[in-house]
Every structure is written in structure tokens, then in C-alpha cells.
Amino acid sequence: NDRNNLKNEIEKIKSFSLNKKKIETDEIKSITNFSGEHKTDNLINECLCGNIQQYKKILSELYINTLNQIFLLRVLGNKIQRLLSMKELEKDYSNLDSLLSTSKPPIFWKEKPMIKKQLTIWNLNDLKITMHEINNIEILCKKNPQISNSIFMNFFIKICKKANSFS
């Protein structure tokens, strides 16, 4: 499937460049989907599941220099907030499957195994601590833009390793 995506993206670039002699990198990034949200979502899911190899693979496919750290921290924060809400409701259900089935908003069937794994890996206290850390990391990244990429990468790998140690 990646080859088909790649072929489609190349065709897009060809079509876009028919009347141009030179294409800027920003133009290519704006018309292609390679650093799109689906990779971002996968990156965060793999990180929360502790799948270090997959996390690194997806990270290498993204444009590392153009990563929007604040955006990714907020997506991570939203995912953790949802896990927190589900963890708090977990005691009211006989099993995780029933919790996932009744979740609002509904969880897409493809995501259920990933979310189930995340719920088994992370406990309520660790999720709360990580949520607090996300806020601190966001402030650090904003205060130190010259080293924000390192701060961000270290934080994400810390989360991934922590999840990996639980799984």
C-alpha cells in the first residue's frame, strides 16, 4: 500500500510541476500527505504501546526538521486525556471490551486493539503524571526553541520506553 501512496504522491508532484521550472520544498510538503495526520496518530499510538521499533520507523518517515512539537504534544495530550477518562470508567465495566464498545465518542474498530493494549499498559496514576509532564514539556519547548527538538524527542522516547517496560 505504501508503494501505491508513493506513486500517487509522485503523480501529484508531476502534475503540480507541469507549468513550473522550480518547485520549493514547502510547496511539495503542502501538496503531499506523507507527514500527514495518519502518521502522527500512528506515531503516538506506537509510543503509548511501547513499540519502540515501530515508533522509530514512523519517526524516520516523518520530516524530522519540520515536526510541529506543540501539535504532537497536544495530540498526545488528547489521547492521554481520553485514556484517563476511560481508566476512570473502567471499574464500572466487567471487561475492557465492554468499556470500549460503549465508549463515547465511539472507537473505530481498527483502533480498539491498540487502545485496549494502552489501557492495560498504563495505570491511572502514570497517565496523570504523563499529562502533567506534557504541559511542562510544552512550556520548555516554547521557552527553548533552539533545543526544543531534543527536549521533545527525549520526552517521547521516555514515554515509549516506559510503556515498553510495562508491556
Side-chain angles (χ1 to χ4, degrees):
N1 203 15
D2 282 346
R3 286 184 183 190
N4 285 334
N5 288 340
L6 182 60
K7 184 179 176 187
N8 289 338
E9 297 304 317
I10 290 171
E11 289 301 318
K12 237 191 265 186
I13 294 168
K14 282 182 183 177
S15 297
F16 183 78
S17 65
L18 284 176
N19 297 326
K20 292 188 169 202
K21 291 181 180 177
K22 184 178 178 186
I23 302 175
E24 298 295 323
T25 306
D26 290 337
E27 292 173 305
I28 291 173
K29 287 178 188 174
S30 71
I31 62 170
T32 58
N33 294 323
F34 282 113
S35 61
E37 289 180 28
H38 72 281
K39 291 238 188 251
T40 303
D41 199 46
N42 289 344
L43 176 77
I44 291 170
N45 277 329
E46 296 298 346
C47 180
L48 288 172
C49 286
N51 299 332
I52 296 171
Q53 295 298 348
Q54 276 301 107
Y55 167 78
K56 287 181 178 180
K57 181 181 180 226
I58 295 167
L59 190 62
S60 71
E61 292 171 3
L62 293 171
Y63 296 108
I64 295 196
N65 293 333
T66 61
L67 280 179
N68 184 337
Q69 294 109 2
I70 304 305
F71 171 72
L72 286 172
L73 286 168
R74 291 189 179 157
V75 171
L76 175 65
N78 288 337
K79 285 203 176 279
I80 289 181
Q81 192 61 50
R82 183 146 191 217
L83 289 173
L84 267 168
S85 299
M86 293 175 83
K87 261 309 195 193
E88 290 170 347
L89 294 172
E90 188 177 23
K91 63 185 176 299
D92 298 335
Y93 291 86
S94 58
N95 59 43
L96 283 178
D97 290 322
S98 59
L99 171 65
L100 294 174
S101 296
T102 59
S103 181
K104 300 288 184 212
I107 299 169
F108 185 55
W109 66 271
K110 277 184 158 181
E111 290 186 5
K112 284 185 179 182
M114 185 80 65
I115 293 173
K116 188 175 181 179
K117 182 176 181 183
Q118 292 167 359
L119 286 168
T120 57
I121 290 172
W122 293 89
N123 65 45
L124 193 62
N125 190 48
D126 286 332
L127 288 170
K128 286 178 181 179
I129 289 169
T130 304
M131 195 67 198
H132 180 72
E133 288 175 336
I134 289 170
N135 296 329
N136 291 337
I137 293 298
E138 183 176 341
I139 292 168
L140 272 174
C141 285
K142 286 178 178 178
K143 286 183 177 179
N144 303 290
Q146 65 281 9
I147 58 168
S148 64
N149 207 28
S150 296
I151 294 168
F152 170 81
M153 293 295 187
N154 289 337
F155 178 64
F156 261 69
I157 199 68
K158 174 186 162 196
I159 291 171
C160 197
K161 286 180 178 177
K162 186 174 194 170
N164 184 271
S165 69
F166 292 130
S167 58

